[in-house]
Amino acid sequence: MSLEARLSLRRPGFLLDAALSLPERGVTTVFGPSGSGKTTLLRCLAGLERPAGELALGGEYWQRDGYFLPAHRRRVGMVFQDGRLFPHLTVRGNLRFAMRRAGCEEAAMDAPVALMGIERLLARRPDTLSGGEVQRVAVARALLSQPRLLLLDEPLAAVDARRKQEILPFLERLTRELALPVVHVSHSLDEVIRLADRLVLMDEGRVVASGGVTEMFSRLDLPLAQREDVGAVLEAHAPRPLPGYHLTEATVAGQKLLLPGESAEPGERLRVRIRARDVSLTLKPPSETSILNVLPGRITEVVERPDAPGQRLVRVAVGDAALLSWVSRLSAERLALAPGQAVYAQVKAVALA
Amino acid sequence: MTDPDLAALWVTLKLATVTTIVLLVLGTPLAWWLAHTRNRLRPLAEALTALPLVLPPTVLGFYLLITLGANGPVGQLLNALGAQPLAFTFAGLVVGSVIYSLPFVVQPLRDAFAAVGHGPLEAAASLGAGPWDRFFTVAVPLARRGFVTAITLGFAHTVGEFGVVLMIGGNIPGETQVLSIAIYDHVEVLEYGRAHLLSGGLLLFSLILLTVVYATNRRSRVVGS
């Protein structure tokens, strides 16, 4: 059930003009500054706005040539920023609202309820729930509507930082188990790294770029590379704790990398984020260094950023992945850093995502 | 209470009940439209709805009498259809009361629908609920307090009606004579005792009704918060 969309919507002072093509499963995060049209795009997919253009899911048109399938017949599960639970119904009533219209048996409630950990909330009214609980119920409710497409509109925006860490694992688990496309709107880098398989960057109503998360974060021509905390995001495989050292060894880009902590479960998919400012480059393999992680690679790109004239941002290919590194312009000239050159990337800190 | 007084009470309750039901049927879609439309004509529609609040009832009654009477446009239309003119009939009273009490039903409903907003309705749509389904299972329960207020005010205001009824209903006992006019008649012939009975009864009835409504609304607010 892949999704193909070409949509435009004019609003006073704003034009959404976006093309989108999503695979049949996995999480696509729409990322961009506020006002860039992320939520509007999501609302168009849900049928809550009437844009011009075409939209099809799994080859079935929801919108084309004046035909418009209304929201209630699209079977789109939408989780709004503020949850939008029905205040006149209990949590169970909210879930039943979705189930009855999707033709579900009462027992269908069990799995999403367990997945979201809301068993003890069923008899409660929405106004007695915390922000995080509201969002977990909202996700369960959306799942019970038997959606063909799941839309998450900044599901954690109204949740405080501590609660976010409580909900993110639920969302992570959920999005990996679902066999349907998930579109997730966010402006939190943390959420992107935890949840996204693919990234769609939006700015001023347009799709600037889209692609896999690791690829997108290693590109130097995107707004992501203009961020203060620019850095690469890499997949880490086969984590193995090193007891006593509070470290975990994992395979990243074909190399062994030591990660902080011992929390990783064996077999778990892990992502690590390595900021450009935590990576330094040497031409020879360093010996007798306190830095644990040294990865051999080859420079593919060196760019100057207008806001940092004394610095160069360097992209280093390591295996099939890439690292980014900030070096001073002086160092870049002394080491004659240029594309094609073999270097060793010394990684000072790795953040587990 | 004497027979004519009982008859007046019966006419009054019947009138208020029928009027309230008609107003709910007509006023709910109007209130929904006013709460959701972006039409440029909305201010005009709101002004027309609110007119009975500011016009003297006699003005309203006068125009209704002219419109509904045998020579008025509605009267002639009904005559052509072989029906009786509405002036000086119970049906005429209902028409007058509906117009007279319109704002008391439409305004609370409009405010309640506006307060519900688009959010819950969009959520319901995304969960597969069609327009009527959304209206009855989401909008109406959430606008419940607006309905209670609208029904109470519409009913009570019709019970207390005087000017419009006098103009278009005349004063036919058992047919169009309502309590407020019966009181007026008693006072005119100095039957203060009977006027007291009816007036005091109306006063008590209105007070009890409004107290119950405000208490109910308060309770649902406490539960809801």
Side-chain angles (χ1 to χ4, degrees):
Chain A
M1 301 287 261
S2 62
L3 181 134
E4 302 286 336
R6 213 162 35 71
L7 301 167
S8 64
L9 182 70
R10 189 175 289 280
R11 280 289 148 83
F14 176 78
L15 175 71
L16 175 79
D17 187 12
L20 208 59
S21 174
L22 306 182
E24 54 199 45
R25 61 179 298 171
V27 180
T28 302
T29 296
V30 183
F31 189 72
S34 38
S36 58
K38 310 184 293 290
T39 294
T40 309
L41 175 64
L42 219 58
R43 292 174 56 81
C44 289
L45 298 180
L48 299 173
E49 305 283 349
R50 276 180 173 266
E54 292 187 349
L55 172 59
L57 184 79
E60 178 198 329
Y61 278 94
W62 282 358
Q63 151 166 21
R64 177 170 66 167
D65 297 338
Y67 172 73
F68 184 87
L69 189 69
H72 64 275
R73 293 177 48 208
R74 291 192 177 193
R75 288 181 47 208
V76 163
M78 176 123 178
V79 176
F80 297 87
Q81 275 181 42
D82 49 359
R84 295 197 187 174
L85 299 184
F86 301 124
H88 61 297
L89 301 175
T90 59
V91 168
R92 183 180 273 112
N94 269 276
L95 300 181
R96 282 198 181 130
F97 189 99
M99 293 162 64
R100 208 167 288 150
R101 283 152 187 86
C104 287
E105 303 287 321
E106 183 78 8
M109 193 188 278
D110 298 347
V113 164
L115 186 65
M116 287 293 123
I118 54 172
E119 296 93 337
R120 288 185 309 169
L121 307 178
L122 289 175
R124 302 259 296 270
R125 299 191 77 89
D127 49 23
T128 67
L129 303 179
S130 72
E133 289 168 340
V134 165
Q135 289 308 67
R136 273 148 61 193
V137 174
V139 171
R141 187 178 70 170
L143 291 176
L144 283 167
S145 69
Q146 306 296 315
R148 295 185 290 177
L149 171 67
L150 184 65
L151 305 175
L152 308 171
D153 183 11
E154 302 204 36
L156 304 181
V159 179
D160 64 55
R162 196 169 54 84
R163 299 276 177 193
K164 249 178 223 176
Q165 296 310 318
E166 290 175 25
I167 306 172
L168 265 170
F170 286 109
L171 286 181
E172 254 182 304
R173 193 146 49 110
L174 163 77
T175 48
R176 264 175 232 164
E177 289 178 8
L178 284 179
L180 53 103
V182 180
V183 186
H184 162 237
V185 158
S186 177
H187 58 239
S188 148
L189 210 54
D190 200 31
E191 275 179 56
V192 173
I193 295 167
R194 292 282 288 267
L195 299 179
D197 296 307
R198 292 161 41 83
L199 197 56
V200 171
L201 291 183
M202 284 195 74
D203 197 19
E204 294 184 344
R206 290 175 173 278
V207 173
V208 179
S210 62
V213 168
T214 48
E215 177 217 331
M216 295 283 279
F217 274 96
S218 71
R219 276 173 63 176
L220 299 184
D221 59 336
L222 297 178
L224 289 174
Q226 303 297 320
R227 296 174 64 102
E228 179 63 25
D229 55 354
V230 52
V233 173
L234 301 155
E235 309 275 352
H237 304 282
R240 193 171 60 82
L242 295 185
Y245 293 103
H246 297 282
L247 290 170
T248 299
E249 190 185 64
T251 307
V252 174
Q255 311 277 326
K256 293 281 182 232
L257 205 67
L258 291 167
L259 314 176
E262 293 175 26
S263 56
E265 308 259 334
E268 193 182 348
R269 177 184 90 165
L270 275 179
R271 274 201 179 134
V272 295
R273 177 161 158 75
I274 303 177
R275 289 166 208 261
R277 70 164 105 94
D278 292 330
V279 178
S280 60
L281 302 178
T282 66
L283 296 182
K284 296 201 178 93
S287 56
E288 296 169 8
T289 168
S290 70
I291 289 178
L292 293 169
N293 292 312
V294 178
L295 304 173
R298 192 170 293 278
I299 293 177
T300 56
E301 217 175 334
V302 180
V303 297
E304 184 179 350
R305 226 169 63 171
D307 57 326
Q311 307 266 311
R312 292 286 183 269
L313 187 57
V314 182
R315 182 180 189 277
V316 181
V318 178
D320 55 357
L323 289 177
L324 302 182
S325 169
W326 275 125
V327 298
S328 68
R329 185 179 159 194
L330 185 63
S331 308
E333 284 175 6
R334 278 190 184 156
L335 299 178
L337 298 182
Q341 185 164 25
V343 290
Y344 293 86
Q346 305 189 95
V347 179
K348 201 154 61 188
V350 180
L352 272 173
Chain B
M1 249 190 277
T2 56
D3 282 351
D5 285 351
L6 276 179
L9 176 65
W10 168 242
V11 171
T12 304
L13 293 179
K14 193 169 71 165
L15 177 64
T17 306
V18 173
T19 300
T20 306
I21 292 170
V22 171
L23 272 174
L24 279 180
V25 172
L26 299 179
T28 304
L30 175 59
W32 182 264
W33 182 77
L34 288 174
H36 291 112
T37 186
R38 291 188 198 139
N39 195 304
R40 280 176 303 137
L41 293 178
R42 192 187 70 180
L44 179 63
E46 294 206 283
L48 282 172
T49 311
L51 263 189
L53 287 176
V54 295
L55 277 184
T58 41
V59 172
L60 202 63
F62 173 61
Y63 283 120
L64 279 170
L65 181 64
I66 288 181
T67 316
L68 301 179
N71 298 320
V74 175
Q76 284 181 342
L77 179 71
L78 287 174
N79 197 28
L81 296 169
Q84 294 294 313
L86 287 172
F88 307 110
T89 64
F90 182 76
L93 279 195
V94 171
V95 173
S97 305
V98 162
I99 295 173
Y100 181 57
S101 296
L102 185 70
F104 291 84
V105 170
V106 170
Q107 290 188 351
L109 288 182
R110 178 202 59 195
D111 294 346
F113 288 143
V116 170
H118 290 288
L121 298 172
E122 288 181 350
S126 76
L127 296 171
W132 289 103
D133 187 358
R134 299 201 281 276
F135 178 76
F136 284 110
T137 61
V138 177
V140 169
L142 289 179
R144 165 181 86 240
R145 289 178 54 197
F147 276 96
V148 173
T149 306
I151 289 168
T152 316
L153 291 183
F155 190 88
H157 190 246
T158 308
V159 167
E161 181 178 341
F162 180 77
V164 178
V165 176
L166 193 65
M167 295 293 280
I168 65 167
N171 196 358
I172 306 164
E175 177 75 28
T176 62
Q177 189 187 57
V178 295
L179 276 180
S180 57
I181 292 176
I183 292 168
Y184 181 76
D185 284 354
H186 288 322
V187 172
E188 274 213 306
V189 295
L190 301 177
E191 291 172 341
Y192 278 24
R194 292 172 67 186
H196 262 310
L197 185 68
L198 295 185
S199 302
L202 265 184
L203 181 68
L204 204 63
F205 162 78
S206 306
L207 185 65
I208 291 172
L209 186 65
L210 290 177
T211 307
V212 167
V213 168
Y214 287 125
T216 314
N217 274 354
R218 169 169 225 113
R219 200 164 51 240
S220 70
R221 188 159 55 228
V222 171
V223 169
S225 64

